Short mmCIF file of all heavy atoms in Angstrom, two decimals:
data_model
loop_
_atom_site.label_atom_id
_atom_site.label_comp_id
_atom_site.label_asym_id
_atom_site.label_seq_id
_atom_site.Cartn_x
_atom_site.Cartn_y
_atom_site.Cartn_z
N ARG Y 39 -13.85 24.03 -4.19
CA ARG Y 39 -13.26 22.77 -4.73
C ARG Y 39 -12.78 21.91 -3.58
O ARG Y 39 -12.31 22.33 -2.54
CB ARG Y 39 -12.07 23.12 -5.57
CG ARG Y 39 -12.46 23.98 -6.80
CD ARG Y 39 -11.66 23.56 -7.89
NE ARG Y 39 -12.28 24.36 -8.98
CZ ARG Y 39 -12.31 24.08 -10.20
NH1 ARG Y 39 -11.65 23.04 -10.62
NH2 ARG Y 39 -12.88 24.78 -11.08
N SER Y 40 -12.76 20.64 -3.82
CA SER Y 40 -12.26 19.71 -2.86
C SER Y 40 -10.78 19.54 -3.02
O SER Y 40 -10.27 19.61 -4.18
CB SER Y 40 -12.99 18.31 -3.13
OG SER Y 40 -14.36 18.43 -3.00
N PRO Y 41 -10.14 19.31 -1.93
CA PRO Y 41 -8.66 19.07 -1.99
C PRO Y 41 -8.36 17.83 -2.89
O PRO Y 41 -9.20 16.90 -2.90
CB PRO Y 41 -8.25 18.80 -0.52
CG PRO Y 41 -9.28 19.52 0.28
CD PRO Y 41 -10.56 19.39 -0.53
N GLY Y 42 -7.27 17.87 -3.54
CA GLY Y 42 -6.94 16.76 -4.39
C GLY Y 42 -5.92 17.26 -5.49
O GLY Y 42 -5.29 18.22 -5.38
N PHE Y 43 -5.79 16.47 -6.60
CA PHE Y 43 -4.97 16.75 -7.65
C PHE Y 43 -5.74 17.19 -8.88
O PHE Y 43 -6.74 16.54 -9.25
CB PHE Y 43 -4.06 15.50 -8.03
CG PHE Y 43 -3.09 15.23 -7.01
CD1 PHE Y 43 -3.32 14.30 -5.95
CD2 PHE Y 43 -1.82 15.88 -6.96
CE1 PHE Y 43 -2.42 13.98 -5.03
CE2 PHE Y 43 -0.91 15.59 -5.99
CZ PHE Y 43 -1.19 14.61 -5.02
N TYR Y 44 -5.33 18.24 -9.50
CA TYR Y 44 -6.04 18.85 -10.66
C TYR Y 44 -5.04 19.19 -11.77
O TYR Y 44 -3.94 19.75 -11.49
CB TYR Y 44 -6.76 20.18 -10.27
CG TYR Y 44 -7.96 19.83 -9.26
CD1 TYR Y 44 -7.68 19.96 -7.97
CD2 TYR Y 44 -9.14 19.69 -9.73
CE1 TYR Y 44 -8.70 19.67 -6.96
CE2 TYR Y 44 -10.25 19.41 -8.87
CZ TYR Y 44 -9.97 19.46 -7.52
OH TYR Y 44 -11.03 19.24 -6.68
N PRO Y 45 -5.42 19.01 -13.06
CA PRO Y 45 -4.55 19.43 -14.09
C PRO Y 45 -5.04 20.83 -14.58
O PRO Y 45 -6.21 21.21 -14.42
CB PRO Y 45 -4.86 18.48 -15.19
CG PRO Y 45 -6.27 18.03 -14.92
CD PRO Y 45 -6.44 18.04 -13.46
N ILE Y 46 -4.09 21.60 -14.97
CA ILE Y 46 -4.52 22.96 -15.46
C ILE Y 46 -3.85 23.21 -16.90
O ILE Y 46 -2.73 23.00 -17.10
CB ILE Y 46 -4.05 24.09 -14.56
CG1 ILE Y 46 -4.58 23.92 -13.17
CG2 ILE Y 46 -4.39 25.44 -15.08
CD1 ILE Y 46 -4.02 24.83 -12.12
N ALA Y 47 -4.72 23.70 -17.79
CA ALA Y 47 -4.25 24.07 -19.18
C ALA Y 47 -4.89 25.39 -19.49
O ALA Y 47 -5.97 25.65 -19.19
CB ALA Y 47 -4.71 22.93 -20.22
N ILE Y 48 -4.08 26.23 -20.19
CA ILE Y 48 -4.53 27.54 -20.50
C ILE Y 48 -4.13 27.79 -22.02
O ILE Y 48 -3.21 27.21 -22.46
CB ILE Y 48 -4.05 28.70 -19.62
CG1 ILE Y 48 -2.53 28.71 -19.63
CG2 ILE Y 48 -4.60 28.45 -18.17
CD1 ILE Y 48 -1.88 29.86 -18.86
N TYR Y 49 -4.84 28.76 -22.61
CA TYR Y 49 -4.43 29.15 -23.96
C TYR Y 49 -4.80 30.60 -24.10
O TYR Y 49 -5.74 31.09 -23.48
CB TYR Y 49 -4.98 28.28 -25.03
CG TYR Y 49 -6.42 28.53 -25.43
CD1 TYR Y 49 -6.69 29.41 -26.49
CD2 TYR Y 49 -7.47 27.95 -24.77
CE1 TYR Y 49 -7.98 29.59 -26.87
CE2 TYR Y 49 -8.78 28.13 -25.15
CZ TYR Y 49 -9.06 28.94 -26.29
OH TYR Y 49 -10.39 29.18 -26.53
N HIS Y 50 -4.05 31.34 -24.94
CA HIS Y 50 -4.28 32.71 -25.33
C HIS Y 50 -4.94 32.77 -26.64
O HIS Y 50 -4.49 32.54 -27.68
CB HIS Y 50 -2.93 33.42 -25.41
CG HIS Y 50 -3.05 34.89 -25.76
ND1 HIS Y 50 -1.97 35.63 -26.19
CD2 HIS Y 50 -4.14 35.69 -25.87
CE1 HIS Y 50 -2.36 36.84 -26.47
NE2 HIS Y 50 -3.66 36.89 -26.26
N ASP Y 51 -6.27 33.15 -26.54
CA ASP Y 51 -7.10 33.25 -27.76
C ASP Y 51 -6.80 34.65 -28.43
O ASP Y 51 -7.52 35.64 -28.30
CB ASP Y 51 -8.60 33.21 -27.39
CG ASP Y 51 -9.49 33.20 -28.62
OD1 ASP Y 51 -9.06 32.96 -29.77
OD2 ASP Y 51 -10.69 33.37 -28.37
N ALA Y 52 -5.61 34.69 -29.10
CA ALA Y 52 -5.07 35.96 -29.58
C ALA Y 52 -6.02 36.63 -30.55
O ALA Y 52 -6.02 37.86 -30.62
CB ALA Y 52 -3.71 35.69 -30.22
N ASN Y 53 -6.75 35.91 -31.40
CA ASN Y 53 -7.64 36.53 -32.37
C ASN Y 53 -9.11 36.61 -31.91
O ASN Y 53 -9.93 37.16 -32.65
CB ASN Y 53 -7.55 35.82 -33.73
CG ASN Y 53 -7.94 34.40 -33.65
OD1 ASN Y 53 -8.42 33.92 -32.69
ND2 ASN Y 53 -7.79 33.71 -34.74
N GLY Y 54 -9.41 36.16 -30.71
CA GLY Y 54 -10.76 36.31 -30.14
C GLY Y 54 -11.81 35.48 -30.80
O GLY Y 54 -12.98 35.83 -30.66
N ASP Y 55 -11.42 34.38 -31.50
CA ASP Y 55 -12.46 33.57 -32.15
C ASP Y 55 -12.97 32.41 -31.19
O ASP Y 55 -13.74 31.55 -31.64
CB ASP Y 55 -11.95 32.98 -33.43
CG ASP Y 55 -10.81 32.03 -33.29
OD1 ASP Y 55 -10.31 31.81 -32.11
OD2 ASP Y 55 -10.43 31.42 -34.35
N ARG Y 56 -12.54 32.41 -29.95
CA ARG Y 56 -12.97 31.38 -29.02
C ARG Y 56 -12.58 29.96 -29.43
O ARG Y 56 -13.34 28.96 -29.15
CB ARG Y 56 -14.47 31.48 -28.77
CG ARG Y 56 -14.85 32.73 -28.13
CD ARG Y 56 -16.31 32.78 -27.72
NE ARG Y 56 -16.62 34.05 -27.06
CZ ARG Y 56 -17.59 34.16 -26.28
NH1 ARG Y 56 -18.50 33.27 -26.12
NH2 ARG Y 56 -17.74 35.36 -25.72
N ASP Y 57 -11.49 29.85 -30.12
CA ASP Y 57 -10.96 28.56 -30.58
C ASP Y 57 -9.40 28.50 -30.34
O ASP Y 57 -8.82 29.58 -30.46
CB ASP Y 57 -11.31 28.33 -32.02
CG ASP Y 57 -11.06 26.91 -32.53
OD1 ASP Y 57 -11.10 26.01 -31.65
OD2 ASP Y 57 -10.86 26.69 -33.67
N PHE Y 58 -8.91 27.37 -30.14
CA PHE Y 58 -7.42 27.24 -30.01
C PHE Y 58 -6.95 26.87 -31.37
O PHE Y 58 -7.03 25.74 -31.79
CB PHE Y 58 -7.07 26.18 -28.96
CG PHE Y 58 -5.62 26.01 -28.81
CD1 PHE Y 58 -4.77 27.07 -28.47
CD2 PHE Y 58 -4.97 24.75 -28.97
CE1 PHE Y 58 -3.44 26.92 -28.30
CE2 PHE Y 58 -3.63 24.62 -28.79
CZ PHE Y 58 -2.85 25.70 -28.43
N ASN Y 59 -6.45 27.95 -32.03
CA ASN Y 59 -6.05 27.70 -33.43
C ASN Y 59 -4.71 27.02 -33.59
O ASN Y 59 -3.74 27.29 -32.80
CB ASN Y 59 -5.92 29.07 -34.20
CG ASN Y 59 -7.25 29.81 -34.17
OD1 ASN Y 59 -7.38 30.85 -33.59
ND2 ASN Y 59 -8.28 29.24 -34.71
N ARG Y 60 -4.61 26.09 -34.45
CA ARG Y 60 -3.34 25.30 -34.65
C ARG Y 60 -3.22 24.85 -36.08
O ARG Y 60 -4.23 24.74 -36.84
CB ARG Y 60 -3.27 24.16 -33.69
CG ARG Y 60 -4.53 23.25 -33.75
CD ARG Y 60 -4.52 22.28 -32.52
NE ARG Y 60 -5.79 21.53 -32.50
CZ ARG Y 60 -6.86 21.81 -31.86
NH1 ARG Y 60 -6.90 22.96 -31.11
NH2 ARG Y 60 -7.96 21.17 -31.80
N THR Y 61 -1.99 24.52 -36.49
CA THR Y 61 -1.81 23.90 -37.81
C THR Y 61 -1.94 22.33 -37.55
O THR Y 61 -2.23 21.91 -36.43
CB THR Y 61 -0.42 24.18 -38.33
OG1 THR Y 61 0.55 23.59 -37.45
CG2 THR Y 61 -0.22 25.70 -38.45
N LEU Y 62 -1.64 21.62 -38.56
CA LEU Y 62 -1.64 20.12 -38.44
C LEU Y 62 -0.69 19.68 -37.35
O LEU Y 62 -0.91 18.68 -36.60
CB LEU Y 62 -1.33 19.49 -39.82
CG LEU Y 62 -1.47 18.02 -39.81
CD1 LEU Y 62 -2.86 17.54 -39.49
CD2 LEU Y 62 -1.08 17.44 -41.20
N PHE Y 63 0.47 20.34 -37.21
CA PHE Y 63 1.50 19.86 -36.31
C PHE Y 63 1.80 20.84 -35.13
O PHE Y 63 2.40 20.35 -34.13
CB PHE Y 63 2.80 19.72 -37.02
CG PHE Y 63 2.70 18.67 -38.14
CD1 PHE Y 63 2.66 19.13 -39.46
CD2 PHE Y 63 2.61 17.32 -37.89
CE1 PHE Y 63 2.56 18.22 -40.52
CE2 PHE Y 63 2.51 16.42 -38.89
CZ PHE Y 63 2.48 16.85 -40.21
N ALA Y 64 1.38 21.95 -35.04
CA ALA Y 64 1.77 22.88 -33.97
C ALA Y 64 0.70 23.96 -33.69
O ALA Y 64 -0.07 24.29 -34.57
CB ALA Y 64 3.04 23.60 -34.33
N PRO Y 65 0.63 24.42 -32.51
CA PRO Y 65 -0.35 25.56 -32.14
C PRO Y 65 0.08 26.86 -32.79
O PRO Y 65 1.22 27.08 -33.15
CB PRO Y 65 -0.11 25.73 -30.66
CG PRO Y 65 0.65 24.54 -30.19
CD PRO Y 65 1.42 24.01 -31.33
N LYS Y 66 -0.96 27.60 -33.07
CA LYS Y 66 -0.72 28.93 -33.65
C LYS Y 66 -0.82 30.06 -32.59
O LYS Y 66 -0.59 31.24 -32.85
CB LYS Y 66 -1.74 29.22 -34.71
CG LYS Y 66 -1.52 28.44 -36.00
CD LYS Y 66 -2.72 28.67 -36.96
CE LYS Y 66 -2.27 29.16 -38.31
NZ LYS Y 66 -3.38 29.42 -39.16
N GLU Y 67 -1.44 29.67 -31.45
CA GLU Y 67 -1.58 30.65 -30.37
C GLU Y 67 -0.87 30.15 -29.11
O GLU Y 67 -0.51 28.96 -28.94
CB GLU Y 67 -3.04 30.71 -30.05
CG GLU Y 67 -3.92 31.36 -31.25
CD GLU Y 67 -5.36 31.52 -31.06
OE1 GLU Y 67 -6.03 30.49 -30.85
OE2 GLU Y 67 -5.79 32.66 -31.08
N GLY Y 68 -0.70 31.06 -28.10
CA GLY Y 68 0.01 30.73 -26.90
C GLY Y 68 -0.77 29.76 -26.07
O GLY Y 68 -1.94 29.71 -26.04
N TYR Y 69 0.01 28.96 -25.31
CA TYR Y 69 -0.62 27.88 -24.46
C TYR Y 69 0.35 27.63 -23.32
O TYR Y 69 1.47 27.96 -23.34
CB TYR Y 69 -0.93 26.56 -25.20
CG TYR Y 69 0.34 25.91 -25.70
CD1 TYR Y 69 0.89 24.92 -24.94
CD2 TYR Y 69 0.96 26.32 -26.85
CE1 TYR Y 69 2.06 24.27 -25.35
CE2 TYR Y 69 2.14 25.71 -27.28
CZ TYR Y 69 2.66 24.72 -26.47
OH TYR Y 69 3.85 24.19 -26.92
N GLY Y 70 -0.21 26.91 -22.29
CA GLY Y 70 0.65 26.48 -21.12
C GLY Y 70 -0.07 25.48 -20.37
O GLY Y 70 -1.24 25.28 -20.37
N PHE Y 71 0.72 24.73 -19.64
CA PHE Y 71 0.23 23.71 -18.66
C PHE Y 71 0.85 23.80 -17.32
O PHE Y 71 1.96 24.27 -17.20
CB PHE Y 71 0.62 22.30 -19.25
CG PHE Y 71 -0.10 21.88 -20.49
CD1 PHE Y 71 0.54 22.09 -21.70
CD2 PHE Y 71 -1.44 21.44 -20.44
CE1 PHE Y 71 -0.08 21.81 -22.89
CE2 PHE Y 71 -2.01 21.09 -21.66
CZ PHE Y 71 -1.39 21.24 -22.83
N SER Y 72 0.20 23.37 -16.28
CA SER Y 72 0.70 23.41 -14.99
C SER Y 72 1.98 22.52 -14.96
O SER Y 72 2.13 21.62 -15.75
CB SER Y 72 -0.35 22.91 -13.90
OG SER Y 72 -1.01 21.77 -14.37
N ASN Y 73 2.96 22.86 -14.03
CA ASN Y 73 4.20 22.25 -13.84
C ASN Y 73 5.11 22.43 -15.10
O ASN Y 73 6.05 21.69 -15.30
CB ASN Y 73 4.04 20.73 -13.61
CG ASN Y 73 3.36 20.45 -12.27
OD1 ASN Y 73 3.49 21.27 -11.34
ND2 ASN Y 73 2.61 19.43 -12.21
N ASP Y 74 4.71 23.32 -16.00
CA ASP Y 74 5.51 23.58 -17.18
C ASP Y 74 5.78 22.24 -17.90
O ASP Y 74 6.85 21.99 -18.45
CB ASP Y 74 6.78 24.30 -16.89
CG ASP Y 74 7.42 24.99 -18.12
OD1 ASP Y 74 6.65 25.27 -19.02
OD2 ASP Y 74 8.65 25.14 -18.13
N ALA Y 75 4.71 21.43 -17.96
CA ALA Y 75 4.88 20.09 -18.62
C ALA Y 75 5.24 20.17 -20.04
O ALA Y 75 4.65 20.98 -20.80
CB ALA Y 75 3.55 19.35 -18.39
N PRO Y 76 6.17 19.36 -20.50
CA PRO Y 76 6.59 19.47 -21.94
C PRO Y 76 5.52 18.82 -22.91
O PRO Y 76 4.71 17.98 -22.48
CB PRO Y 76 7.82 18.50 -21.94
CG PRO Y 76 7.68 17.61 -20.75
CD PRO Y 76 6.84 18.38 -19.76
N THR Y 77 5.49 19.31 -24.06
CA THR Y 77 4.47 18.88 -25.12
C THR Y 77 5.17 18.47 -26.36
O THR Y 77 4.76 18.90 -27.46
CB THR Y 77 3.55 20.03 -25.39
OG1 THR Y 77 4.31 21.21 -25.79
CG2 THR Y 77 2.70 20.43 -24.16
N THR Y 78 6.27 17.78 -26.27
CA THR Y 78 7.05 17.32 -27.41
C THR Y 78 6.23 16.51 -28.41
O THR Y 78 6.17 16.83 -29.64
CB THR Y 78 8.28 16.55 -27.02
OG1 THR Y 78 8.97 17.31 -26.01
CG2 THR Y 78 9.25 16.30 -28.12
N PHE Y 79 5.50 15.54 -27.92
CA PHE Y 79 4.72 14.69 -28.80
C PHE Y 79 3.27 14.64 -28.29
O PHE Y 79 2.95 13.69 -27.57
CB PHE Y 79 5.28 13.29 -28.90
CG PHE Y 79 6.68 13.30 -29.54
CD1 PHE Y 79 7.74 13.07 -28.70
CD2 PHE Y 79 6.89 13.50 -30.87
CE1 PHE Y 79 9.04 13.13 -29.17
CE2 PHE Y 79 8.10 13.52 -31.41
CZ PHE Y 79 9.23 13.29 -30.55
N GLY Y 80 2.42 15.61 -28.52
CA GLY Y 80 1.07 15.62 -28.11
C GLY Y 80 0.92 16.14 -26.73
O GLY Y 80 1.81 16.81 -26.15
N LEU Y 81 -0.25 15.98 -26.13
CA LEU Y 81 -0.58 16.51 -24.81
C LEU Y 81 0.17 15.81 -23.70
O LEU Y 81 0.34 14.63 -23.82
CB LEU Y 81 -2.10 16.45 -24.56
CG LEU Y 81 -2.96 17.27 -25.51
CD1 LEU Y 81 -4.39 16.96 -25.24
CD2 LEU Y 81 -2.68 18.78 -25.36
N PRO Y 82 0.57 16.55 -22.66
CA PRO Y 82 1.26 15.88 -21.54
C PRO Y 82 0.23 15.03 -20.78
O PRO Y 82 -0.98 15.27 -20.77
CB PRO Y 82 1.72 17.07 -20.71
CG PRO Y 82 0.92 18.20 -21.07
CD PRO Y 82 0.44 18.00 -22.45
N SER Y 83 0.76 14.03 -20.06
CA SER Y 83 -0.06 13.16 -19.23
C SER Y 83 -0.60 13.89 -17.93
O SER Y 83 -0.01 14.91 -17.57
CB SER Y 83 0.74 11.95 -18.80
OG SER Y 83 1.74 12.29 -17.87
N PHE Y 84 -1.59 13.32 -17.41
CA PHE Y 84 -2.18 13.86 -16.18
C PHE Y 84 -1.15 13.93 -15.09
O PHE Y 84 -1.01 14.90 -14.34
CB PHE Y 84 -3.38 12.99 -15.62
CG PHE Y 84 -3.90 13.37 -14.32
CD1 PHE Y 84 -4.69 14.46 -14.18
CD2 PHE Y 84 -3.55 12.69 -13.19
CE1 PHE Y 84 -5.24 14.88 -12.95
CE2 PHE Y 84 -4.06 13.08 -11.96
CZ PHE Y 84 -4.85 14.16 -11.84
N GLU Y 85 -0.24 12.89 -14.99
CA GLU Y 85 0.78 12.85 -13.96
C GLU Y 85 1.81 13.95 -14.09
O GLU Y 85 2.29 14.44 -13.11
CB GLU Y 85 1.55 11.50 -14.02
CG GLU Y 85 0.76 10.31 -13.50
CD GLU Y 85 -0.31 9.86 -14.47
OE1 GLU Y 85 -0.19 10.04 -15.76
OE2 GLU Y 85 -1.26 9.25 -14.05
N LYS Y 86 2.01 14.50 -15.33
CA LYS Y 86 2.93 15.57 -15.48
C LYS Y 86 2.37 16.94 -15.20
O LYS Y 86 3.04 17.81 -14.92
CB LYS Y 86 3.53 15.49 -16.90
CG LYS Y 86 4.32 14.23 -17.18
CD LYS Y 86 5.22 14.39 -18.30
CE LYS Y 86 5.95 13.08 -18.50
NZ LYS Y 86 7.32 13.12 -18.61
N VAL Y 87 1.00 17.03 -15.36
CA VAL Y 87 0.41 18.37 -15.16
C VAL Y 87 -0.36 18.55 -13.84
O VAL Y 87 -0.69 19.62 -13.49
CB VAL Y 87 -0.56 18.74 -16.36
CG1 VAL Y 87 0.15 18.77 -17.66
CG2 VAL Y 87 -1.70 17.76 -16.47
N ARG Y 88 -0.57 17.48 -13.19
CA ARG Y 88 -1.35 17.58 -11.92
C ARG Y 88 -0.69 18.53 -10.89
O ARG Y 88 0.50 18.52 -10.71
CB ARG Y 88 -1.63 16.16 -11.38
CG ARG Y 88 -0.42 15.57 -10.74
CD ARG Y 88 -0.77 14.14 -10.25
NE ARG Y 88 0.39 13.67 -9.48
CZ ARG Y 88 0.31 12.55 -8.66
NH1 ARG Y 88 -0.85 11.91 -8.56
NH2 ARG Y 88 1.45 12.22 -8.04
N VAL Y 89 -1.59 19.19 -10.17
CA VAL Y 89 -1.18 20.10 -9.13
C VAL Y 89 -1.99 19.73 -7.85
O VAL Y 89 -3.16 19.54 -7.94
CB VAL Y 89 -1.52 21.62 -9.51
CG1 VAL Y 89 -1.22 22.56 -8.41
CG2 VAL Y 89 -0.76 21.94 -10.78
N LYS Y 90 -1.34 19.69 -6.72
CA LYS Y 90 -2.00 19.39 -5.51
C LYS Y 90 -2.70 20.59 -4.95
O LYS Y 90 -2.04 21.73 -4.83
CB LYS Y 90 -1.01 18.80 -4.43
CG LYS Y 90 -1.69 18.32 -3.25
CD LYS Y 90 -0.70 17.74 -2.22
CE LYS Y 90 -1.52 17.21 -0.99
NZ LYS Y 90 -0.60 16.53 -0.06
N VAL Y 91 -3.90 20.52 -4.70
CA VAL Y 91 -4.76 21.61 -4.17
C VAL Y 91 -5.18 21.25 -2.83
O VAL Y 91 -5.85 20.14 -2.57
CB VAL Y 91 -5.93 21.88 -5.16
CG1 VAL Y 91 -6.90 22.91 -4.53
CG2 VAL Y 91 -5.55 22.26 -6.49
N GLY Y 92 -4.96 22.08 -1.81
CA GLY Y 92 -5.43 21.87 -0.49
C GLY Y 92 -6.70 22.55 -0.19
O GLY Y 92 -7.38 23.02 -1.14
N PRO Y 93 -7.06 22.63 1.08
CA PRO Y 93 -8.39 23.13 1.42
C PRO Y 93 -8.43 24.71 1.23
O PRO Y 93 -9.42 25.32 1.20
CB PRO Y 93 -8.63 22.72 2.83
CG PRO Y 93 -7.24 22.45 3.41
CD PRO Y 93 -6.40 21.96 2.24
N GLY Y 94 -7.19 25.33 1.30
CA GLY Y 94 -7.11 26.81 1.18
C GLY Y 94 -6.72 27.23 -0.18
O GLY Y 94 -6.70 26.47 -1.08
N PRO Y 95 -6.46 28.44 -0.34
CA PRO Y 95 -6.06 29.05 -1.66
C PRO Y 95 -4.77 28.46 -2.15
O PRO Y 95 -3.86 28.05 -1.41
CB PRO Y 95 -5.80 30.56 -1.37
CG PRO Y 95 -6.51 30.91 -0.17
CD PRO Y 95 -6.58 29.63 0.66
N THR Y 96 -4.67 28.21 -3.46
CA THR Y 96 -3.53 27.62 -4.11
C THR Y 96 -3.12 28.52 -5.28
O THR Y 96 -3.92 28.91 -6.14
CB THR Y 96 -3.82 26.20 -4.63
OG1 THR Y 96 -4.22 25.35 -3.52
CG2 THR Y 96 -2.66 25.65 -5.30
N THR Y 97 -1.79 28.86 -5.32
CA THR Y 97 -1.25 29.68 -6.42
C THR Y 97 -0.49 28.70 -7.36
O THR Y 97 0.33 27.99 -6.88
CB THR Y 97 -0.36 30.77 -5.94
OG1 THR Y 97 -1.05 31.61 -5.01
CG2 THR Y 97 0.24 31.58 -7.07
N VAL Y 98 -0.83 28.86 -8.66
CA VAL Y 98 -0.10 28.00 -9.69
C VAL Y 98 0.44 28.97 -10.72
O VAL Y 98 -0.29 29.76 -11.33
CB VAL Y 98 -1.00 26.99 -10.23
CG1 VAL Y 98 -0.32 26.22 -11.35
CG2 VAL Y 98 -1.63 26.07 -9.23
N ARG Y 99 1.72 28.98 -11.00
CA ARG Y 99 2.34 29.78 -12.01
C ARG Y 99 2.43 28.93 -13.25
O ARG Y 99 2.92 27.85 -13.23
CB ARG Y 99 3.66 30.31 -11.58
CG ARG Y 99 3.61 31.31 -10.54
CD ARG Y 99 4.99 31.79 -10.11
NE ARG Y 99 4.85 32.63 -8.99
CZ ARG Y 99 5.34 33.86 -8.98
NH1 ARG Y 99 5.83 34.43 -10.03
NH2 ARG Y 99 5.12 34.62 -7.84
N ILE Y 100 2.04 29.49 -14.38
CA ILE Y 100 2.08 28.76 -15.64
C ILE Y 100 2.76 29.59 -16.73
O ILE Y 100 2.46 30.76 -16.87
CB ILE Y 100 0.68 28.39 -16.19
CG1 ILE Y 100 -0.02 27.50 -15.16
CG2 ILE Y 100 0.71 27.72 -17.49
CD1 ILE Y 100 -1.40 27.17 -15.50
N ARG Y 101 3.81 29.07 -17.35
CA ARG Y 101 4.56 29.73 -18.44
C ARG Y 101 3.87 29.56 -19.74
O ARG Y 101 3.57 28.46 -20.08
CB ARG Y 101 5.96 29.22 -18.46
CG ARG Y 101 6.80 29.90 -19.56
CD ARG Y 101 8.21 29.46 -19.47
NE ARG Y 101 8.37 28.04 -19.87
CZ ARG Y 101 8.89 27.75 -21.14
NH1 ARG Y 101 9.34 28.63 -21.95
NH2 ARG Y 101 9.09 26.48 -21.42
N MET Y 102 3.51 30.73 -20.37
CA MET Y 102 2.87 30.68 -21.66
C MET Y 102 3.97 30.35 -22.71
O MET Y 102 5.08 30.96 -22.67
CB MET Y 102 2.26 31.96 -21.93
CG MET Y 102 0.98 32.25 -21.16
SD MET Y 102 -0.39 31.18 -21.44
CE MET Y 102 -0.97 31.68 -23.07
N ARG Y 103 3.65 29.55 -23.67
CA ARG Y 103 4.58 29.19 -24.78
C ARG Y 103 3.98 29.76 -26.03
O ARG Y 103 2.64 29.56 -26.26
CB ARG Y 103 4.78 27.73 -24.88
CG ARG Y 103 5.41 27.08 -23.71
CD ARG Y 103 5.27 25.60 -23.83
NE ARG Y 103 5.78 24.93 -22.52
CZ ARG Y 103 6.81 24.23 -22.44
NH1 ARG Y 103 7.46 23.93 -23.54
NH2 ARG Y 103 7.10 23.72 -21.31
N TYR Y 104 4.68 30.49 -26.85
CA TYR Y 104 4.19 30.98 -28.06
C TYR Y 104 4.92 30.45 -29.27
O TYR Y 104 6.17 30.29 -29.15
CB TYR Y 104 4.25 32.48 -28.06
CG TYR Y 104 3.24 33.15 -27.17
CD1 TYR Y 104 3.52 33.31 -25.83
CD2 TYR Y 104 2.01 33.49 -27.65
CE1 TYR Y 104 2.60 34.01 -25.04
CE2 TYR Y 104 1.03 34.07 -26.82
CZ TYR Y 104 1.34 34.25 -25.50
OH TYR Y 104 0.40 34.86 -24.73
N PRO Y 105 4.33 30.08 -30.30
CA PRO Y 105 4.97 29.56 -31.48
C PRO Y 105 5.89 30.60 -32.17
O PRO Y 105 5.78 31.77 -31.93
CB PRO Y 105 3.73 29.18 -32.41
CG PRO Y 105 2.61 29.86 -31.93
CD PRO Y 105 2.89 30.29 -30.50
#
């Protein structure tokens, strides 16, 4: 990868159906974003989730949120 800013989003496919299950208003499975960006009203902006990546290895810790 080239150095720069990247957003990271993850989810836990708890039931193995290869889909991020959710209700009309909330997720049904675990998820997380870089910088522990809040998700009060929809997805967080790029500015809130972006992570600076240099030319070497980069470690990013992401807290999983479960409904």
